[in-house]
Amino acid sequence: MKSTALVFPCNINENITVTATGIKGQIKTAIRRGQPFIHTDLNVVGEITETSCQKDLNNPKVLKELEKEVQKELQKEITKTIRIAQKEKADIFGFGDSLSRTNPSYWRQHKQNWENLFSSAKVSMNVNVSIVNTGMRTNPYEVN
């Protein structure tokens, strides 16, 4: 994925849009106690392109707080998506491809049963978000 807009709530009835301009992911697979274990690292670089939040976007501390909030929300959404995929036994992320490269003998023995193995696989994730720019000329204004 080259870029995408991510909309997150920052307060009640207030949202912030972060346009991800750089997304890099890495999948690591292993076999633990005979079961597949999947770990993903996701690094997202983006800029704030729109907001209705009343925050001082010129303050680096505020941007760091927003990065943490976006990381938390993004991790929650991706985890939810992975769980849905596991429930449906649909490896839409290509975890099986990664497993076949890192553990070819295990893959050859279990590829016919991958749907079931994937649905019960342990998945961990690390998400890192860096907001490098606000992409806006001024701070948001208050609407009275």
Side-chain angles (χ1 to χ4, degrees):
M1 185 181 314
K2 293 189 184 222
S3 72
T4 188
L6 308 165
V7 180
F8 299 97
C10 54
N11 290 318
I12 298 172
N13 298 323
E14 294 181 341
N15 294 313
I16 189 163
T17 301
V18 176
T19 299
T21 56
I23 303 170
K24 291 188 179 189
Q26 183 178 21
I27 299 171
K28 297 176 185 175
T29 57
I31 305 303
R32 294 188 181 160
R33 298 185 187 129
Q35 295 295 315
F37 176 81
I38 302 162
H39 177 77
T40 61
D41 285 311
L42 185 65
N43 293 307
V44 179
V45 176
E47 63 182 31
I48 297 170
T49 53
E50 187 176 335
T51 185
S52 59
C53 303
Q54 301 304 314
K55 296 187 180 213
D56 179 10
L57 299 178
N58 292 320
N59 184 337
K61 289 181 182 180
V62 171
L63 288 179
K64 285 292 177 196
E65 288 174 18
L66 282 172
E67 285 177 350
K68 288 179 183 177
E69 290 174 28
V70 171
Q71 275 176 203
K72 184 177 166 183
E73 188 67 25
L74 193 55
Q75 184 155 357
K76 185 173 94 176
E77 289 299 317
I78 293 171
T79 300
K80 185 171 134 182
T81 303
I82 290 172
R83 287 195 180 124
I84 291 169
Q86 286 182 304
K87 182 180 174 187
E88 297 297 323
K89 298 182 179 184
D91 182 8
I92 60 175
F93 301 102
F95 295 141
D97 291 338
S98 178
L99 183 64
S100 71
R101 288 189 300 274
T102 58
N103 296 287
S105 60
Y106 180 89
W107 178 252
R108 280 191 296 278
Q109 292 175 352
H110 296 91
K111 68 180 174 181
Q112 298 301 326
N113 192 31
W114 176 240
E115 290 175 349
N116 293 321
L117 289 170
F118 169 66
S119 69
S120 63
K122 300 290 181 204
V123 180
S124 70
M125 179 183 330
N126 181 40
V127 177
N128 183 39
V129 174
S130 297
I131 297 175
V132 294
N133 191 1
T134 62
M136 300 185 311
R137 293 173 167 239
T138 62
N139 278 322
Y141 62 93
E142 284 189 35
V143 179
N144 293 326

